[in-house]
Amino acid sequence: MYLLTPQLWPTLALFLLLALPMVVTDARESRLPLPLNLGLLGTGAVALPITAVWVGFDHLIWAAVSCAIATVLMLVLFVISRGGLGFGDVILVAALALYSGFVSPLMMLAGIWLGCIGTLGWILVPRRRGIRGHIPFGPGLILGTLLVLVVPVTTA
């Protein structure tokens, strides 16, 4: 299951409508706009239960569990990092875990890992400067999750 099946296009369209402006804003300004961030989380909370009618309510449980686990882990990282990680990233990961966890909890983990790898690539490869200053974490997370949402996978 993945979000490119025709029944799920409206959910993916809502995701793209809110997530892609966040990529641009975070890349330019190193901040995630709270209205878009909360909008992404809220539309997922509304659209995914409607989507579950077509694909099964077990996916909704996976989404809720994935969102809860990712939120707790990001809150721990937020506290440990002492300002190195913004609270917008915590909210963003909760929203992304909701969408990708709807596919599968393993896809949620894959999306976050792809996001981390993408962020490292954003920093180290083109700029060759190492890790200094503010790092836009949102674009990598969003693009990693988007990749997970559009690539077909088989789930049990």
Side-chain angles (χ1 to χ4, degrees):
M1 206 232 16
Y2 62 108
L3 285 182
L4 277 185
T5 57
Q7 300 89 347
L8 306 177
W9 285 351
T11 303
L12 183 62
L14 285 173
F15 176 83
L16 291 172
L17 181 69
L18 294 166
L20 293 181
M22 291 173 66
V23 169
V24 173
T25 303
D26 198 20
R28 287 183 183 166
E29 303 172 17
S30 292
R31 69 175 189 87
L32 293 164
L34 187 60
L36 289 176
N37 221 346
L38 292 176
L40 187 64
L41 185 59
T43 55
V46 171
L48 292 175
I50 295 169
T51 304
V53 171
W54 285 285
V55 297
F57 287 98
D58 54 336
H59 291 279
L60 197 56
I61 294 169
W62 293 347
V65 169
S66 297
C67 181
I69 290 171
T71 302
V72 168
L73 291 175
M74 286 300 287
L75 282 171
V76 169
L77 288 174
F78 176 73
V79 170
I80 291 172
S81 72
R82 296 186 210 155
L85 182 69
F87 196 71
D89 293 318
V90 176
I91 298 170
L92 178 63
V93 167
L96 297 177
L98 191 63
Y99 280 93
S100 58
F102 189 81
V103 176
S104 160
L106 292 176
M107 293 298 106
M108 180 267 300
L109 291 173
I112 291 173
W113 278 109
L114 284 171
C116 292
I117 291 168
T119 300
L120 283 174
W122 174 283
I123 297 164
L124 298 176
V125 174
R127 298 180 187 182
R128 302 186 199 286
R129 65 179 178 126
I131 300 174
R132 290 182 212 102
H134 294 288
I135 301 165
F137 197 33
L141 288 173
I142 291 170
L143 296 175
T145 301
L146 184 59
L147 183 63
V148 164
L149 293 177
V150 299
V151 172
V153 294
T154 303
T155 58

